[in-house]
Amino acid sequence: DVKVTQSSRYLVKRTGEKVFLECVQDMDHENMFWYRQDPGLGLRLIYFSYDVKMKEKGDIPEGYSVSREKKERFSLILESASTNQTSMYLCASRPLGGANEKLFFGSGTQLSVL
Amino acid sequence: AQTVTQSQPEMSVQEAETVTLSCTYDTSESDYYLFWYKQPPSRQMILVIRQEAYKQQNATENRFSVNFQKAAKSFSLKISDSQLGDAAMYFCAYTATSSGSARQLTFGSGTQLTVLP
């Protein structure tokens, strides 16, 4: 079975902390994504990567950065966590191909910033 | 900018009955793909069904089918013979064909479906 694994299911951090959310996929996919899910807002794209060391901003990149040093791993970094970053974070991957390729998702990390 | 609208935050259906979830979108592109994703309580999002805009025939996957109205920019999901396992949050999503696989999907706000025994 193909898998996208997010390192933590639940995470509680303090305001101002540096937070790392890790995502690993075992499908050799080129494309990886970080989404944020909030009630009533659906999924919003934070950053995505189409190759190692390559990244592009999504719709809401402010306050976030990403790292992709290896093909299978895509990390989301909150440089200085704030309470408005309390949310569900979903990682996804997708193979190289057409726009009809489906996304494979992890199980999400529910982050609370106190 | 493309937008996807799901106007029903919550829906419920009796087990074995049929339910339709609504989705409308706005785009100036002529060629694109539309998707329905399901997020059960486990939070693992999975693809339910996808539709290519240039295909007039509505996509079907077992009990799931879509009603794709390109002119009206409408893409509804019909679930027949609803089962308890269908209870989930359903998201409609859009991507332009020109985007390629590296580009993002635009998601709607979701519809929470409850299946009543």
Side-chain angles (χ1 to χ4, degrees), chain B residues 53-89:
Chain B
Y54 66 86
K55 286 189 175 179
Q56 292 188 338
Q57 187 172 7
N58 288 324
T60 62
E61 289 285 344
N62 301 312
R63 298 183 294 106
F64 298 87
S65 61
V66 298
N67 183 5
F68 174 48
Q69 302 287 330
K70 192 172 184 178
K73 294 181 181 175
S74 170
F75 182 60
S76 60
L77 174 69
K78 186 171 86 169
I79 306 174
S80 304
D81 185 25
S82 296
Q83 299 175 1
L84 295 176
D86 294 334
M89 180 74 85

Side-chain angles (χ1 to χ4, degrees), chain A residues 73-93:
Chain A
R73 186 180 297 270
F74 191 36
S75 303
L76 180 69
I77 304 156
L78 286 66
E79 294 291 341
S80 178
S82 63
T83 54
N84 62 13
Q85 292 178 309
T86 290
S87 187
M88 172 77 74
Y89 291 88
L90 290 169
C91 176
S93 71

